[in-house]
Amino acid sequence: MEKFGTLLTLLLLNYLSMNKNLLVAGLLGPISIAGILAQSPQIKFEEYDMNNGLHVILHEDHSVPLVAVTVNYHVGSKNENPERTGFAHFFEHLMFEGSPNIKRGEFFKYISNAGGDNNAYTTQDQTFYYEVLPSNQLELGLWLESERMLQSKVEDIGVNTQREVVKEEKRLRVDNQPYGRFVSEIFVRAFKVHPYRWAPIGSMEHLNAAALSEFIDFYKTFYVPNNAVLTITGDINIVTTKTLIDKYFKDIPKGTKQIPRPTPSVEPAMTKEVRDSVYDEFIQLPAVIYAYRIPSMTSPDYYALQMMSQVLSGGASSRMNKELVDNQQKALQAFSFSYALEDAGLFITASIVSAGVDVKEMDRLMQIEVDKMKNDLITETEFTKIRNQMESQSVSANEGVQGVATNLSNAYLFHKNTGLVNNELDSYLKVTKDDIKRVANQYLVKENRVVLFYLPGKK
Amino acid sequence: MLLNKYNMKKIICGTILALLVTGGYAQVDRTKAPPPGPAPKITLGKYESFTLKNGLKVIVVENHKLPKVTYTLVVDADPTLEGNKAGYVSAFGEMLGRGTATRTKAQIDEESDMIGASLFPNSGGIYGSTLKKNNEKLLELMADIILHPSFPQEEFDKVINRSKDALESNKTDAGAIAGNLTSKAVYGKNHPYGDIETDSTLANIKLQDVKDYYAKTFMPNISYLAIVGDITKAEAQPLIEKYFGEWAKGTPTKIKLTNPIPPSNPEITMNDRPGSQQSTLRFVYPVQNTVGGPDFLKLRLLNNVLGGGATGRLFMNLREKHGYTYGAYSSISADENVGQFTASADVRTEVTDSAIFQFISEFNKIATGGVTADELQSAKNELTGSFAIGLEDPQTVARFAINIDMYKLPKDYYENYLTNLNAVTLEDVNAAAAKYILPFNYHIVIVGDRAKIEKKILKYDTDKKITFLDPFGYPAAELKSAPSGVTVQTVMDSYITSIGGKDAISKIKDATGTGKINSPFGALDYKQINKYPNKSYVLITVPAYGSQEIIFNGTAGRSQGLNGTVNYDEKMIKDANADAMFAYEMDLTASGIQATLLGVDLIEGKDAYKVELTYPSGKKGYAWYSTKTNLKIRTATIEVTDEGSKEEITSFSDYRPVNGVMMPYYIKSSFGDLIIDKIEVNTGVKDEIFTIK
């Protein structure tokens, strides 16, 4: 298992799931709220806005003596100045540097000393922080998060250190990692105007060039209560928790600056297929990637696209796994997924090509799979299967205090519909075979895609 | 009045109260972390167990929160030394699920996906998870996979092919390479943990090996089945008896291992990964540590302080203080046979040596100075917390139950875990630090760019001899193979082009160069004259002492002067003919030299094609041409004497154009450094100077 898992980790987990590497788990985090899929049991929650604009979501569950304290800031790489890319992710590092009351290097110590766990991640759309603590340490979590929101230290020493750390992170995850530029190379070709054209890791030159005042300005613009969602789940008492939240967050002033957000429509539709090759000196086997432009994660078509990707690569009996990997043995791995973001997204299908197989041959085989999707309805067996798979996944979606907090928070942040955690399965089960064929024909067209050959060798 | 007064008072009280309340919030004391409330009780979930007649031990953990059930089957077989068939155990794992007596792989996949199950067979058992309503279907599939595998040849061929592809893709993955080098350095080839899969070991594996492994190891009497989820023991027991009851008992093979010991001195094992942006660093050595063993908790606490996470000393030093890395950690694994100490970081290439220094400093510091009381308390808090967080997953309780049986722990081991953890003293941990953290007995495994780091890290290897290994832990070939398309002819042609091209070279009829040699005997004057096609003259003058002339006139040669006189013999004449040409690379046939491209060598940190030269006399030599500039950067001749053979190396640099042809102005040899002042061409050199008197 493990040796085949390596590439999967690289290509999927590294980007798409929230991994547990310390700090900045995955630069991209979970790709979308639509992965929530919760069905049973129902998650009961309460939510309200504070006067300073902070949105609060609370969920009480006493099954384990733990509490998750999370803050979801609505800032990601898409809010960055094109001359200062990488800021949002850089801030995720900087935001552990402390405050007037938390000495440098002590943020982590407070949490581990309390027996807690913490992490954070940044995507194109959000920056998410969380702590999981023993429930008697709820107030500590609130204190830490309120200090971060009110008066985080943005100083030269922290900026300089974290600049080096982020450079190492880029080397580790991107430059030195086989297939490490996978995501950035697709997005830069699929988006020409919208800030999705750059990856959250951004440019090290931009980070080097930025003055301290720019970092302070970024903090004052985005790290404000009216741009954040505070979600607390687990072994809490709702009434006491509200009082504590008031104590620590009520007096944090509302932000006064305009929060820059790109207009989704700035990106014109693609009119011509983009075909290109990129080289990676640290890979041995080429990859072939198709990336089709799709709408936002909030689009109703999202569910049909997800179901389509399930037909293509959900499980060992799915089309790409069965045909390309097993029967023909032309691919070491093949997969597809919807990389849906807040403003737009990409539907990606990709293969890592087996040794001795020409990339053009793989291109041909992948095109056959795409064409089948467009020309024929999926079979009744496939339809039943993907519905069962969705139902099964939905049950596991809300596991753990932190998992529930993340889902609630993202449902509100991106959909303004926190209750989505309880009824998303319905949206999947409403998808028909015709819907899947329709979205295939609407989106999986040549004019709407980037085809990338990811080849071994130097640039 | 009274009434008014009373009302007034009430109003004032209200206001004051309001002020106090708001004031209380406004003056929330942010300067200190809020104290924790009373600690919540940490309770271990309950489990039940039963054993089938065939010896299969079954553990049931009820958890009705979600309508799903998971099964984990663990076969507790001793590790097997695979040797020159390394990879067959994992091939076996891949083969499970690829066919049973009644199902093909495609049927298994289809049935499992149809119920939305997760199903992962592996070499140590199987994991499956599904909705409660499909529980029995999944169980039936799992039992079929485990009890009736058919191991079809066709699927075996696929597995081996996939393994080859996977190996191929791991060749340049720094993490995978570091793993192989660690296996090699710490365990070697006589220990199962040192087995490394390569193309050649894969080629040795036969389907029969897979079948034999199954027969020898997969048996119920050494296996555990953990069932977790929306199910009771009463429901589970008849199902398990129905599906796993017929699994036949066997006799397990017990294997006695000779465990490795730490090296007596620091030793570096390295894989050269040219162009690497970072150096992947691992400090590793074997450790005797078992789950629940006498030092197990002490080592968990110790490791937590040293490098357990974002508050560990390694992280604080290498990341937060120096910014060398994204993360630096350590671990001390526990294992029935032999555990392992590992400290690791991926650091940027330029700071590799500084990072090594910081690691070693931290080892020394903790081994000799121990940990502080605060650090220990912090580690206890963190481990207590992570124990509690771990319990959120009902699988944890099942794992505890298996551990108790597998490692022969007291029944109440996990009930007392936190009490025992918190009872560990500072003296205990410091004694463990002194015993287990070895500041002088580790392997340093490095995957990185040799050219950029070798010199700087050499001091950390005791015998100053770094062991270079290929990505699979075998001794690195001296040379890398040249890229496809590169032949000896293309190297020669590229060299000629890079120095100016055939036309420019042909226009040079004679050349006269003068310079100085900085030799061990002082500065010598040097003069060399070449004339087309193959005449040469060299004059070396020792000021105020005398000189040596070396003349070759195309058919005969002589060296005469201070060092005495030598007339060229037949062999020397043949070879001199080639040497006297401006560039034998232009016409190998005419020179009589046979050239063979050997591969890509590393010369002073730069890649160079290494070409073997066989002179007309049979004498051997080499020439190196930069892969980047194509210029000749080094030659060597092999002088065979009675005492053996010796390489005489000459290096060329500082190429400058002379009439459109690049010529080296700095030539280094064992004789001294020759620095050319001036080269003149086509001055009409007369033949007289080449006369042998």
Side-chain angles (χ1 to χ4, degrees):
Chain A
M1 281 302 294
E2 202 168 49
K3 63 189 169 183
F4 299 125
T6 314
L7 289 169
L8 264 180
T9 312
L10 290 172
L11 286 167
L12 290 171
L13 301 180
N14 210 18
Y15 294 109
L16 306 180
S17 73
M18 220 175 51
N19 57 38
K20 294 275 284 179
N21 285 321
L22 259 160
L23 286 199
V24 198
L27 279 167
L28 300 169
I31 49 168
S32 95
I33 176 60
I36 286 172
L37 265 177
Q39 190 65 2
S40 57
Q42 292 283 303
I43 305 288
K44 285 194 196 120
F45 60 89
E46 251 188 63
E47 60 184 331
Y48 59 96
D49 279 324
M50 296 179 69
N51 284 338
N52 57 14
L54 180 66
H55 189 79
V56 179
I57 307 171
L58 305 173
H59 163 67
E60 188 171 342
D61 172 3
H62 301 287
S63 36
V64 284
L66 297 174
V67 58
V69 178
T70 72
V71 182
N72 204 351
Y73 290 93
H74 199 181
V75 54
S77 59
K78 81 165 176 311
N79 304 94
E80 290 162 351
N81 168 354
E83 304 299 316
R84 289 291 180 266
T85 66
F87 255 52
H89 167 247
F90 183 76
F91 256 75
E92 182 206 313
H93 281 257
L94 208 53
M95 292 293 101
F96 285 93
E97 288 287 314
S99 74
N101 297 316
I102 302 167
K103 280 192 223 132
R104 203 172 163 254
E106 293 203 335
F107 205 103
F108 296 124
K109 285 195 175 154
Y110 279 113
I111 296 162
S112 61
N113 226 340
D117 190 10
N118 74 296
N119 216 327
Y121 67 84
T122 307
T123 73
Q124 287 89 336
D125 301 319
Q126 64 177 146
T127 312
F128 188 87
Y129 300 87
Y130 74 82
E131 288 87 42
V132 176
L133 295 158
S135 50
N136 63 326
Q137 295 279 7
L138 166 66
E139 196 171 346
L140 175 75
L142 295 171
W143 177 65
L144 289 168
E145 286 301 341
S146 67
E147 282 290 297
R148 169 140 59 204
M149 195 180 287
L150 175 68
Q151 48 189 349
S152 215
K153 263 186 214 156
V154 181
E155 293 175 348
D156 278 325
I157 180 166
V159 167
N160 292 336
T161 309
Q162 293 309 322
R163 225 177 342 224
E164 291 311 309
V165 172
V166 168
K167 284 178 194 169
E168 291 317 305
E169 180 178 3
K170 179 164 182 284
R171 288 189 181 101
L172 183 75
R173 291 175 183 275
V174 181
D175 302 334
N176 217 31
Q177 188 69 262
Y179 307 100
R181 289 179 286 118
F182 171 71
V183 168
S184 61
E185 297 282 11
I186 298 170
F187 275 82
V188 73
R189 286 167 178 79
F191 293 90
K192 292 295 163 200
V193 187
H194 192 280
Y196 285 161
R197 67 185 189 270
W198 63 82
I201 190 78
S203 153
M204 298 304 117
E205 288 72 32
H206 291 177
L207 292 180
N208 283 340
L212 186 65
S213 60
E214 297 177 62
F215 291 112
I216 293 169
D217 188 60
F218 192 92
Y219 178 67
K220 288 186 174 158
T221 306
F222 295 105
Y223 279 77
V224 290
N226 43 313
N227 194 41
V229 180
L230 169 69
T231 309
I232 300 170
T233 57
D235 183 22
I236 56 169
N237 172 296
I238 298 265
V239 178
T240 327
T241 304
K242 282 183 181 169
T243 313
L244 286 172
I245 291 172
D246 264 4
K247 179 173 167 186
Y248 287 99
F249 286 89
K250 202 177 95 179
D251 294 324
I252 300 178
K254 194 170 184 160
T256 52
K257 291 170 182 268
Q258 178 73 26
I259 297 175
R261 307 209 188 275
T263 316
S265 59
V266 295
E267 184 70 36
M270 287 179 79
T271 51
K272 204 166 147 265
E273 179 182 69
V274 175
R275 242 173 209 276
D276 214 345
S277 296
V278 293
Y279 294 87
D280 184 338
E281 61 178 309
F282 297 127
I283 64 168
Q284 302 286 330
L285 301 174
V288 176
I289 303 148
Y290 294 171
Y292 298 89
R293 285 261 301 275
I294 54 170
S296 152
M297 62 167 93
T298 56
S299 152
D301 282 349
Y302 175 81
Y303 298 100
L305 286 162
Q306 273 297 95
M307 293 288 256
M308 180 165 76
S309 103
Q310 200 69 22
V311 176
L312 285 170
S313 70
S317 71
S318 63
R319 293 183 180 184
M320 290 176 80
N321 279 331
K322 193 172 172 182
E323 198 50 37
L324 305 184
V325 178
D326 202 56
N327 285 351
Q328 302 204 32
Q329 298 180 67
K330 296 261 170 79
L332 180 63
Q333 284 180 15
F335 53 88
S336 67
F337 58 95
S338 286
Y339 197 143
L341 297 166
E342 193 178 9
D343 285 0
L346 292 175
F347 186 88
I348 292 172
T349 70
S351 300
I352 294 173
V353 183
S354 292
V357 176
D358 195 298
V359 286
K360 292 203 188 86
E361 167 68 359
M362 183 49 66
D363 184 9
R364 192 182 66 82
L365 294 171
M366 283 169 58
Q367 187 61 50
I368 291 174
E369 293 303 329
V370 168
D371 290 340
K372 273 200 283 194
M373 222 25 134
K374 290 160 71 174
N375 297 334
D376 310 313
L377 285 177
I378 63 166
T379 66
E380 195 56 41
T381 312
E382 283 175 320
F383 188 55
T384 311
K385 183 163 66 182
I386 59 174
R387 287 165 63 92
N388 288 347
Q389 287 176 326
M390 284 300 169
E391 188 195 354
S392 185
Q393 285 178 25
S394 77
V395 165
S396 306
N398 284 315
E399 266 180 329
V401 288
Q402 193 250 321
V404 173
T406 306
N407 289 344
L408 287 167
S409 184
N410 284 340
Y412 176 78
L413 191 75
F414 296 127
H415 299 262
K416 297 291 172 286
N417 175 12
T418 315
L420 197 62
V421 297
N422 288 323
N423 56 27
E424 202 176 27
L425 180 62
D426 299 342
S427 304
Y428 282 102
L429 297 182
K430 270 185 208 139
V431 172
T432 64
K433 289 193 278 183
D434 289 296
D435 285 332
I436 294 174
K437 189 176 169 194
R438 178 183 58 76
V439 293
N441 280 286
Q442 188 173 343
Y443 300 110
L444 304 195
V445 291
K446 285 195 177 172
E447 294 70 36
N448 187 40
R449 75 174 176 185
V450 175
V451 174
L452 199 63
F453 290 169
Y454 208 108
L455 304 171
K458 287 198 183 182
K459 255 186 217 171
Chain B
M1 281 299 285
L2 272 173
L3 198 72
N4 279 348
K5 224 175 171 177
Y6 174 73
N7 277 347
M8 194 64 187
K9 199 174 167 187
K10 203 174 149 192
I11 289 162
I12 290 168
C13 280
T15 317
I16 289 171
L17 198 66
L19 275 175
L20 282 177
V21 173
T22 28
Y25 285 144
Q27 288 160 23
V28 45
D29 183 9
R30 294 189 158 275
T31 61
K32 281 196 271 329
K41 192 166 157 28
I42 297 167
T43 40
L44 253 61
K46 295 268 172 288
Y47 70 90
E48 290 183 276
S49 60
F50 59 90
T51 305
L52 296 192
K53 283 201 189 84
N54 59 14
L56 178 67
K57 295 187 175 103
V58 185
I59 288 132
V60 183
V61 179
E62 280 186 48
N63 187 304
H64 302 284
K65 205 171 172 186
L66 300 174
K68 64 174 211 172
V69 187
T70 65
Y71 296 90
T72 313
L73 177 80
V74 179
V75 179
D76 184 27
D78 281 3
T80 308
L81 182 68
E82 299 170 85
N84 66 3
K85 288 183 175 183
Y88 77 78
V89 174
S90 99
F92 157 73
E94 290 286 323
M95 284 298 287
L96 274 182
R98 283 180 177 259
T100 69
T102 51
R103 286 179 170 99
T104 63
K105 174 184 190 298
Q107 285 169 327
I108 294 170
D109 293 343
E110 187 65 37
E111 288 181 44
S112 159
D113 285 350
M114 187 48 87
I115 56 168
S118 302
L119 187 60
F120 301 109
N122 57 71
S123 62
I126 192 166
Y127 168 88
S129 169
T130 186
L131 292 180
K132 173 69 187 288
K133 62 180 181 183
N134 299 318
N135 177 42
E136 186 164 358
K137 174 76 197 167
L138 176 71
L139 205 52
E140 195 253 314
L141 261 179
M142 289 177 69
D144 192 30
I145 289 169
I146 296 298
L147 270 61
H148 313 292
S150 56
F151 301 120
Q153 180 70 43
E154 184 199 339
E155 292 295 335
F156 176 75
D157 296 341
K158 284 186 194 172
V159 164
I160 296 297
N161 278 336
R162 277 174 60 74
S163 299
K164 281 182 187 160
D165 279 350
L167 272 190
E168 190 65 22
S169 64
N170 278 347
K171 248 182 212 170
T172 39
D173 183 338
I177 300 170
N180 285 341
L181 265 56
T182 299
S183 295
K184 174 80 176 192
V186 177
Y187 304 99
K189 66 177 164 73
N190 294 321
H191 197 283
Y193 300 173
D195 277 329
I196 300 168
E197 197 176 305
T198 69
D199 281 336
S200 58
T201 67
L202 278 180
N204 291 335
I205 303 173
K206 301 278 175 292
L207 179 59
Q208 195 56 44
D209 297 316
V210 165
K211 291 181 178 170
D212 289 349
Y213 184 78
Y214 172 75
K216 263 188 349 209
T217 54
F218 261 49
M219 47 196 72
N221 40 319
I222 55 166
S223 300
Y224 300 88
L225 178 64
I227 307 172
V228 177
D230 192 8
I231 191 166
T232 62
K233 183 188 167 194
E235 284 174 276
Q237 192 156 0
L239 286 173
I240 302 304
E241 268 162 12
K242 178 173 170 192
Y243 291 107
F244 284 91
E246 53 169 300
W247 192 7
K249 243 180 150 155
T251 313
T253 322
K254 282 284 149 206
I255 293 160
K256 180 93 187 106
L257 295 176
T258 310
N259 287 322
I261 53 166
S264 44
N265 290 300
E267 282 175 5
I268 300 181
T269 301
M270 178 169 177
N271 172 253
D272 181 19
R273 188 171 181 265
S276 205
Q277 302 269 335
Q278 290 181 313
S279 295
T280 298
L281 290 181
R282 306 273 185 273
F283 295 79
V284 285
Y285 55 84
V287 163
Q288 286 309 319
N289 182 31
T290 51
V291 175
D295 290 335
F296 180 71
L297 292 175
K298 297 172 204 167
L299 289 176
R300 289 211 61 190
L301 290 162
L302 172 66
N303 182 66
N304 187 274
V305 175
L306 177 64
T311 51
R313 289 183 181 183
L314 293 174
F315 191 94
M316 294 312 280
N317 178 336
L318 282 109
R319 167 168 158 154
E320 296 297 311
K321 186 166 170 204
H322 288 103
Y324 291 158
T325 179
Y326 180 57
Y329 308 98
S330 64
S331 65
I332 304 172
S333 68
D335 184 284
E336 280 173 288
N337 298 296
V338 56
Q340 184 180 303
F341 172 88
T342 309
S344 62
D346 289 65
V347 304
R348 67 175 170 278
T349 302
E350 306 86 77
V351 300
T352 306
D353 56 326
S354 316
I356 293 176
F357 177 82
Q358 293 304 332
F359 268 106
I360 297 172
S361 308
E362 292 295 346
F363 301 156
N364 275 310
K365 209 170 108 190
I366 206 162
T368 55
V371 309
T372 67
D374 278 354
E375 283 176 320
L376 177 61
Q377 190 53 52
S378 204
K380 284 178 178 175
N381 294 349
E382 190 168 352
L383 292 181
T384 302
S386 68
F387 185 84
I389 292 173
L391 290 173
E392 192 181 15
D393 180 358
Q395 298 289 345
T396 305
V397 175
R399 204 181 62 246
F400 286 170
I402 293 179
N403 282 355
I404 286 171
D405 197 87
M406 204 184 262
Y407 299 111
K408 315 272 177 288
L409 304 176
K411 287 268 174 278
D412 55 0
Y413 182 77
Y414 289 100
E415 264 90 40
N416 296 331
Y417 186 91
L418 291 179
T419 313
N420 291 336
L421 182 81
N422 286 292
V424 174
T425 66
L426 191 62
E427 290 69 36
D428 290 337
V429 173
N430 290 345
K435 182 174 168 194
Y436 290 97
I437 305 299
L438 309 176
F440 304 104
N441 308 92
Y442 45 78
H443 299 276
I444 308 179
V445 166
I446 306 176
V447 182
D449 193 333
R450 175 178 179 178
K452 297 206 182 98
I453 63 177
E454 182 177 6
K455 269 192 207 151
K456 292 199 279 185
I457 61 172
L458 208 53
K459 59 175 176 273
Y460 295 110
D461 186 286
T462 310
D463 59 6
K464 305 280 178 287
K465 258 194 200 150
I466 294 174
T467 308
F468 286 96
L469 301 178
D470 75 6
F472 301 104
Y474 285 83
E478 281 291 308
L479 301 176
K480 293 178 286 185
S481 50
S484 63
V486 175
T487 65
V488 69
Q489 195 56 51
T490 65
V491 172
M492 298 292 148
D493 292 348
S494 305
Y495 167 67
I496 294 299
T497 309
S498 75
I499 62 170
K502 279 189 181 182
D503 287 353
I505 298 167
S506 311
K507 286 192 187 113
I508 296 181
K509 297 302 168 196
D510 63 63
T512 305
T514 53
K516 280 210 167 15
I517 300 176
N518 295 319
S519 82
F521 324 107
L524 314 175
D525 291 324
Y526 182 86
K527 183 174 190 177
Q528 179 177 342
I529 305 171
N530 286 57
K531 186 173 179 183
Y532 183 81
N534 56 0
K535 292 186 170 65
S536 69
Y537 171 89
V538 173
L539 174 69
I540 299 166
T541 309
V542 188
Y545 198 64
S547 64
Q548 186 81 14
E549 280 182 307
I550 306 150
I551 307 168
F552 182 70
N553 67 10
T555 50
R558 177 190 287 171
S559 175
Q560 59 193 18
L562 282 173
N563 268 6
T565 301
V566 178
N567 282 309
Y568 284 18
D569 61 20
E570 207 177 317
K571 279 186 177 178
M572 290 164 84
I573 290 167
K574 276 189 193 166
D575 294 351
N577 191 39
D579 268 345
M581 292 173 74
F582 279 131
Y584 55 76
E585 288 88 350
M586 207 153 82
D587 191 349
L588 282 174
T589 322
S591 73
I593 293 176
Q594 285 182 346
T596 316
L597 177 61
L598 298 179
V600 178
D601 202 355
L602 198 64
I603 301 296
E604 286 155 16
K606 304 249 160 55
D607 278 350
Y609 296 116
K610 185 178 184 182
V611 174
E612 186 186 52
L613 306 170
T614 310
Y615 286 88
S617 67
K619 192 168 95 175
K620 296 272 187 190
Y622 302 104
W624 287 263
Y625 302 85
S626 162
T627 59
K628 208 168 170 188
T629 64
N630 298 311
L631 293 172
K632 177 150 71 178
I633 56 172
R634 178 184 280 194
T635 61
T637 52
I638 299 168
E639 307 293 342
V640 183
T641 65
D642 294 342
E643 288 134 42
S645 65
K646 193 175 128 203
E647 268 189 34
E648 274 299 331
I649 290 171
T650 311
S651 310
F652 306 93
S653 54
D654 192 15
Y655 276 85
R656 298 183 207 172
V658 182
N659 268 40
V661 178
M662 302 295 285
M663 299 192 189
Y665 272 63
Y666 193 94
I667 298 159
K668 198 175 169 172
S669 70
S670 61
F671 192 60
D673 295 355
L674 167 58
I675 298 149
I676 302 287
D677 298 326
K678 189 168 70 175
I679 302 177
E680 290 176 298
V681 299
N682 297 340
T683 55
V685 171
K686 300 276 189 298
D687 279 348
E688 281 83 84
I689 196 153
F690 305 104
T691 310
I692 295 169
K693 288 161 198 133

